[in-house]
Amino acid sequence: MYQAESQFILAALGKNARCSHHIGSTAIPSIVAKPVIDILIVVAELERVDECNSAMEKLGYEAMGEYGIPFRRYFRKENSAGNRTHHVHIFPEGNGQVDRHLAFRDFMNLHPEWALRYSNLKRNLVARYPDSIDQYMNGKQEFIKRVDELAAAWKLEQTRPDL
């Protein structure tokens, strides 16, 4: 689903789009995930994304602007039943959010013990707050922050040349 949808999005964004990445829980096969595909797009110029809002709307996306994260453009898509199916996060080249999202995904995929902890946390939060997406999201924040720290250190270790 990610592959097909990302091709449509890249076409809608045109030459400004540099690359696409599958992120979020559905990009970590070993964990529990809502059936929502998160897509990260890297662009050359963030401001030019706004010129593509109508092309994204033709694909069924709602343009949400920065939506709480500076230097991001966010789009969301729902199916005919009104269920969310896709999130698109667009950042300019060099934005630290790109590295953060990719490091989180890669760390979780290579460290199954952390992926299991995250999966268990998500299950527990859904059971505890079945009717509150806000409490569910807030309940994940400390864990995500901790994994972000671990993932950043791990990524740095991976890129250091051998001494």
Side-chain angles (χ1 to χ4, degrees):
M1 290 175 66
Y2 155 75
Q3 289 291 343
E5 193 70 16
S6 70
Q7 294 307 307
F8 293 129
I9 295 165
L10 291 171
L13 297 174
K15 293 181 180 179
N16 188 36
R18 295 295 186 237
C19 60
S20 170
H21 301 278
H22 186 190
I23 62 167
S25 293
T26 59
I28 307 166
S30 64
I31 68 169
V32 171
K34 296 183 299 291
V36 178
I37 306 295
D38 282 283
I39 300 172
L40 185 148
I41 305 287
V42 178
V43 296
E45 298 176 48
L46 186 63
E47 298 75 25
R48 290 185 51 209
V49 173
D50 299 329
E51 300 166 8
C52 301
N53 284 353
S54 62
M56 290 294 287
E57 288 168 1
K58 287 178 184 174
L59 295 176
Y61 286 93
E62 178 183 9
M64 305 296 293
E66 286 187 336
Y67 204 65
I69 299 178
F71 306 107
R72 171 181 79 162
R73 294 299 181 270
Y74 174 67
F75 296 83
R76 61 187 183 194
K77 183 178 187 177
E78 295 179 350
N79 63 18
S80 59
N83 298 315
R84 187 84 38 85
T85 60
H86 296 80
H87 297 153
V88 177
H89 311 266
I90 303 175
F91 293 101
E93 290 176 305
N95 185 288
Q97 289 288 340
V98 173
D99 291 336
R100 183 185 74 78
H101 281 286
L102 298 179
F104 184 95
R105 178 201 65 195
D106 295 347
F107 179 86
M108 295 296 264
N109 279 320
L110 292 171
H111 295 87
E113 69 281 7
W114 282 97
L116 179 61
R117 287 182 192 178
Y118 190 38
S119 194
N120 289 338
L121 173 64
K122 291 170 63 156
R123 271 194 197 98
N124 291 336
L125 289 169
V126 166
R128 188 171 178 189
Y129 306 113
D131 300 319
S132 176
I133 189 70
D134 289 336
Q135 288 180 305
Y136 170 80
M137 296 299 288
N138 289 339
K140 297 189 315 178
Q141 290 309 308
E142 285 302 314
F143 183 89
I144 290 171
K145 182 178 176 183
R146 176 68 178 131
V147 172
D148 279 341
E149 292 167 356
L150 291 169
W154 168 80
K155 188 72 170 181
L156 183 61
E157 188 68 27
Q158 301 305 305
T159 59
R160 289 176 38 185
D162 292 333
L163 299 176

